[in-house]
Amino acid sequence: MKFCLLPLTLLAVFGLAVAAETNYPLDAPAPDGRRPGGTITQEFTPPPLHDEENKDVRRERNYPEQPPTIPHSIRGYHVDKNANKCLSCHSRANSARAQAPMISITHYTDRDQQTLAAVAPRRYFCTQCHVPQQDVKPLVENRFKNIDELLYRETSPSTGGN
């Protein structure tokens, strides 16, 4: 029985020895190209947050199951287990009065496919899937093509399609 603890003890001692090693090189490059200049150990002042778009315009979705983006600012919205500010406009009861799109009926379905009277707990925290947009320069180039663009290219005579 005591022999079984020996490998575990040796592993723990080795782990502590590695963790105690603190002479990391101060001029090590950043882990990727998204953090310009500096090193991993240097702290920088983060750039200021940009304001969220507040255009109230529905955006086109890029694929059928894409959750819609939030076309307005949600700064200061309170969403926790006791309250959800989004439902003050988007719930079934309030959407007509607020002239806001009602949340999908799928949000009232639980994991057993039972339709509920209220929003299902797994769909209650809106910002798990729905996000506001900011008008900023992208970090990387977006070369995504939606299905309509791909089908058009395939059938277009100028691109060599049939």
Side-chain angles (χ1 to χ4, degrees), residues 82-157:
N82 299 317
N84 184 333
K85 172 74 171 147
C86 302
L87 295 178
S88 65
C89 294
H90 295 281
S91 68
R92 193 175 3 206
N94 298 331
S95 64
R97 177 191 51 77
Q99 296 295 302
M102 185 183 89
I103 58 176
S104 169
I105 193 67
T106 60
H107 290 59
Y108 292 91
T109 306
D110 67 8
R111 69 176 72 187
D112 299 321
Q113 304 306 313
Q114 300 295 315
T115 302
L116 308 173
V119 175
R122 67 185 185 141
R123 298 289 186 97
Y124 184 77
F125 297 98
C126 307
T127 54
Q128 285 181 286
C129 300
H130 304 279
V131 294
Q133 300 295 294
Q134 295 179 338
D135 190 21
V136 295
K137 182 182 174 208
L139 294 173
V140 294
E141 177 188 2
N142 181 3
R143 294 181 289 174
F144 177 81
K145 303 286 185 240
N146 68 26
I147 189 67
D148 295 327
E149 291 176 73
L150 292 174
L151 289 174
Y152 177 77
R153 280 186 174 182
E154 189 174 293
T155 60
S156 174

Side-chain angles (χ1 to χ4, degrees), residues 17-87:
V18 169
E21 182 67 34
T22 58
N23 58 352
Y24 300 114
L26 294 178
D27 59 348
D32 64 45
R34 294 194 180 121
R35 183 175 179 183
T39 66
I40 294 174
T41 57
Q42 290 177 318
E43 290 292 326
F44 290 103
T45 303
L49 292 175
H50 294 274
D51 288 331
E52 297 167 345
E53 284 186 6
N54 204 12
K55 297 180 181 177
D56 276 341
V57 175
R58 286 188 186 183
R59 291 178 190 87
E60 181 181 342
R61 298 185 199 188
N62 291 311
Y63 52 92
E65 300 301 321
Q66 177 186 357
T69 58
I70 301 171
H72 58 81
S73 177
I74 60 169
R75 188 165 294 178
Y77 274 34
H78 189 77
V79 179
D80 66 15
K81 66 178 185 158
N82 299 317
N84 184 333
K85 172 74 171 147
C86 302
L87 295 178

